[in-house]
Amino acid sequence: MDAPAAESKLIDSFKMHVAGIEGANLEQLHALSVSVGWPLRSEDLQFLRECGHGYVARDEIGRLTGSAMWFPHGDDFATIGMVITSPRLQTNGTARWLMDHVLSDCRGRNLRLNATRAAHRLYHSLGFQPVRTIYQCQGIVRRLTDLTPPTEQSVVRRLEGEDLAAVVELDTGAFGVSRAVLMGKLFAQSIGYGLFRGGQLYALALCRPFGRGYVIGPVVAESDADAIAVIRQHVAAHENKFLRLDTPVETGTFATFLSQSGLTVFDTVLSMSRRGKGRADVVPGPSLYGLASHALG
Ligand SMILES: CC(C)(COP(=O)(O)OP(=O)(O)OC[C@H]1O[C@@H](n2cnc3c(N)ncnc32)[C@H](O)[C@@H]1OP(=O)(O)O)[C@@H](O)C(=O)NCCC(=O)NCCS
C-alpha cells in the first residue's frame, strides 16, 4: 500500500473516522464482535489489544462500526485479525479501508491471517495467497475411553516457568518465526503440558479460558501420538465443559481423537499469507497441531 490511508470516509450515509483501537471502549468493541456472531469475551478482546495494534471506524456519534488489528512477532512478521464490519454497513468498503491502515503499518513484513469465507475476496484482492485450511473443532467434552499412557521413553508433565525457554524454541520451529513475547503472555494465563524424552521437550499443549469455554493452543508435536499425549490431560480436565481447538489436521488419529472426545468440526477458515518485500515466506511447519487463536496464528 503506497497511498497514505485516509482518516475519514463516507460509508453508506455515515461519515466514519478512523481511530486507534487502543482508545476504543471495550464494551463497544465487544458489541461489535458479538454483532458478527463471534464468541469472544471482553477479556479475550482486551488480551488481543495487549498483544497487538489496530484501528476502529467510528461514526459521528462515536459508535464503533469496524475494526482491524495486527500482531507483530519480531520485526519482519505479523498476523492479522479482528477484521470486522458491523453487519448493517458491510460491503461498503469499511474492511478494505481499515486493512489499508493495517497494511500501511505492516509495510515490508511477511503477513499471515485466517480468513473466514466472507473475507476471502477481500484478502485475495489485497495480495494474500491461500496456505491451508484450518478446522475449528469444538464441543462439550465427552469422557475419554482411550487412556493409553505415553510410551516408556516419554514423560508427560505440567509445564512450569523454567520450561518457558524450551516452549518458545519448540513453538518457533512450528510457527515459522519466534513469538517469544506472545508465548510468555499465553504461558502466564494457561495450563500447559509437555512431552519430554531424555529431559528434552518434544511436544507441548497450552490451554486457557477463551470464548464459550476453553481453548487448547498452541499445540506443537512431531506426530499424532505425541500431540494426543499432550492434549489428553486438557481434554480429560474439561469433561462436560466447552472446549475448542483450531487445527490444520483433517484426518488421522489426532483428528479422530478430537471427534471422539466431542470436539467436532464446527467451521473452517483459510490460512492465507502475503510476502514482505524480498523476504522469504514464513511457513508454518507440520508440527503446528493447534493454533493459539485465529488472530494470533
Ligand atoms: C469480512 C468482512 C470484514 C468484510 O467487511 P466489509 O466492510 O463488508 O468489506 P468491504 O466492503 O471492504 O469489501 C471488501 C471486498 O470484499 C467483498 N465482499 C465483502 N463482503 C462480501 C461477501 N459477503 N461476499 C463476497 N464478497 C464480499 C467486497 O465486494 C469487496 O470486494 P471488491 O473491493 O472487489 O468489490 C465482513 O463481512 C465481516 O465483518 N464479516 C464477519 C466477520 C468476519 O468474518 N471477519 C473476517 C475475519 S478474517
Side-chain angles (χ1 to χ4, degrees):
M1 285 297 116
D2 289 322
E7 297 305 309
S8 70
K9 180 178 171 66
L10 195 65
I11 293 172
D12 196 341
S13 54
F14 300 88
K15 185 163 187 195
M16 298 296 173
H17 294 273
V18 68
I21 200 164
E22 64 282 354
N25 177 290
L26 194 58
E27 282 176 24
Q28 284 189 324
L29 201 55
H30 194 199
L32 181 67
S33 76
V34 168
S35 77
V36 292
W38 286 7
L40 301 176
R41 307 165 305 155
S42 51
E43 293 94 323
D44 302 325
L45 293 167
Q46 182 53 28
F47 181 68
L48 289 176
R49 282 209 298 195
E50 286 163 17
C51 296
H53 315 279
Y55 296 94
V56 289
R58 272 205 190 102
D59 71 7
E60 280 164 314
I61 57 168
R63 290 176 296 194
L64 285 197
T65 55
S67 65
M69 292 192 75
W70 62 282
F71 305 91
H73 306 294
D75 295 333
D76 299 336
F77 182 77
T79 56
I80 289 177
M82 276 299 290
V83 181
I84 302 175
T85 298
S86 160
R88 158 80 176 79
L89 293 172
Q90 285 174 5
T91 68
N92 283 301
T94 311
R96 179 177 295 278
W97 179 48
L98 293 174
M99 280 297 293
D100 284 348
H101 284 79
V102 164
L103 293 176
S104 167
D105 288 356
C106 291
R107 190 174 290 129
R109 287 177 186 262
N110 282 298
L111 298 170
R112 202 189 297 164
L113 53 78
N114 291 300
T116 58
R117 234 161 271 119
H120 286 184
R121 185 162 144 187
L122 168 66
Y123 297 136
H124 195 262
S125 72
L126 291 171
F128 286 83
Q129 299 295 325
V131 178
R132 59 184 179 178
T133 299
I134 301 293
Y135 300 85
Q136 179 178 339
C137 301
Q138 63 184 48
I140 303 295
V141 174
R142 291 193 208 119
R143 179 185 290 272
L144 290 182
T145 46
D146 169 22
L147 290 170
T148 324
T151 57
E152 266 173 38
Q153 299 81 18
S154 312
V155 175
V156 174
R157 65 157 172 85
R158 274 281 290 270
L159 293 167
E160 309 293 344
E162 69 216 22
D163 299 314
L164 182 57
V167 165
V168 168
E169 196 185 327
L170 198 64
D171 178 75
T172 301
F175 188 68
V177 65
S178 173
R179 45 178 179 175
V181 176
L182 173 67
M183 289 304 288
K185 289 183 174 169
L186 288 171
F187 202 75
Q189 55 173 262
S190 303
I191 288 177
Y193 284 95
L195 181 143
F196 295 80
R197 288 193 188 98
Q200 192 186 332
L201 184 66
Y202 274 83
L204 68 94
L206 305 187
C207 181
R208 66 186 193 280
F210 180 83
R212 293 174 58 190
Y214 295 82
V215 66
I216 302 178
V219 181
V220 180
E222 283 181 355
S223 66
D224 281 20
D226 284 2
I228 292 169
V230 283
I231 70 163
R232 184 192 305 277
Q233 304 284 351
H234 293 306
V235 173
H238 293 92
E239 196 180 315
N240 293 323
K241 293 189 182 135
F242 184 89
L243 190 60
R244 169 174 172 175
L245 194 155
D246 297 280
T247 181
V249 179
E250 184 187 8
T251 55
T253 52
F254 180 74
T256 303
F257 177 82
L258 288 182
S259 62
Q260 284 178 348
S261 307
L263 278 65
T264 52
V265 177
F266 170 76
D267 203 356
T268 60
V269 286
L270 183 63
S271 178
M272 301 180 87
S273 72
R274 193 177 102 146
R275 272 179 75 159
K277 284 210 171 62
R279 298 198 173 98
D281 209 354
V282 177
V283 183
S287 58
L288 191 67
Y289 271 76
L291 305 190
S293 74
H294 283 172
L296 300 169

